[in-house]
Amino acid sequence: FTRVAPLPTPVPYPLFAFCGLWAWNFFASTLRFSVSSLTSNTNLVAKVYFPREIFPFSAVLVGVVDFVVSATVLVAMMVWYRVVPGVSILWLPVVIAVHIAFTAGVALIVSMANLFYRDVKYLFEVAITVWMFATSVVYPMDRIGGRLGAVLSLNPMTPIIDAYRNVLLLGEAPTPAFAAAALLSVVVLTVGWLVFHRAEFSFAENV
């Protein structure tokens, strides 16, 4: 995207792309850990009673640690390209909270789905790859128009990733689309948790 098919971006493209990959990798790597978090701990799931959501949530915690460590690379790139965040960086805790809430909700759902249907972990790899290219990770989503652009605009990860770029690189507040993504994140986490608890009594029969 810098040589063959250059894209106009509001900041240098390497910084634009790495910020998107930084946020996306937290989401994707967390789900990769969580999708098999229940099936890889069958003895504990079947024999010992405790809150089973600890398994997918522990995957989220591991992802947060990696997320914080990789943030140092983003900071170094911002220094290199002389991009200084403005007062909008105060939005960063809110963006991170929404990001974690959405990731945790999806983690609960995929870990439970893989317990009942073991093929989910194989389909997940295809789905997460397609999802990445349907998100503004390495290219700005506003470059896509028509019906495809309208469909891709429904992707909740796009406003979350764009919010990181807004508050860190552009000195702007998150867009109204981020508010919709925040509301959806709360819904996904709440529904995921409720369904997880309702199905928890069947876990031992399906491990």
Side-chain angles (χ1 to χ4, degrees):
F1 289 125
T2 58
R3 300 294 182 185
V4 179
L7 292 173
T9 53
V11 293
Y13 180 76
L15 185 57
F16 176 92
F18 185 82
C19 185
L21 288 168
W22 170 61
W24 176 262
N25 284 340
F26 163 67
F27 178 71
S29 63
T30 296
L31 296 186
R32 285 191 177 96
F33 280 117
S34 62
V35 71
S36 59
S37 60
L38 294 177
T39 55
S40 61
N41 293 280
T42 55
N43 289 335
L44 293 175
V45 171
K47 297 180 180 179
V48 181
Y49 180 76
F50 61 94
R52 270 53 173 214
E53 62 266 27
I54 287 177
F55 294 114
F57 283 168
S58 64
V60 176
L61 183 59
V62 171
V64 169
V65 174
D66 291 341
F67 183 68
V68 172
V69 172
S70 59
T72 58
V73 180
L74 179 63
V75 172
M77 292 183 67
M78 292 173 66
V79 173
W80 175 262
Y81 287 106
R82 299 179 182 178
V83 174
V84 180
V87 69
S88 61
I89 198 173
L90 296 176
W91 280 96
L92 185 59
V94 177
V95 177
I96 293 175
V98 171
H99 194 186
I100 292 176
F102 183 71
T103 304
V106 178
L108 288 170
I109 293 171
V110 297
S111 63
M112 177 180 57
N114 187 59
L115 182 66
F116 291 110
Y117 307 100
R118 300 303 173 90
D119 290 337
V120 167
K121 63 182 177 182
Y122 304 111
L123 298 175
F124 168 80
E125 290 298 330
V126 177
I128 201 69
T129 302
V130 174
W131 197 345
M132 174 182 169
F133 287 102
T135 306
S136 61
V137 176
V138 294
Y139 59 88
M141 194 59 66
D142 57 9
R143 304 294 298 174
I144 301 177
R147 293 182 179 179
L148 179 60
V151 172
L152 295 181
S153 66
L154 301 176
N155 179 2
M157 279 301 297
T158 290
I160 292 175
I161 290 178
D162 286 343
Y164 279 107
R165 294 190 178 112
N166 287 343
V167 304
L168 290 174
L169 308 180
L170 305 181
E172 301 174 355
T175 63
F178 175 74
L183 179 59
L184 179 62
S185 299
V186 174
V187 172
V188 169
L189 179 57
T190 302
V191 172
W193 203 336
L194 291 175
V195 173
F196 190 93
H197 274 286
R198 181 168 296 182
E200 189 174 6
F201 297 103
S202 303
F203 285 178
E205 301 172 3
N206 290 274
V207 293

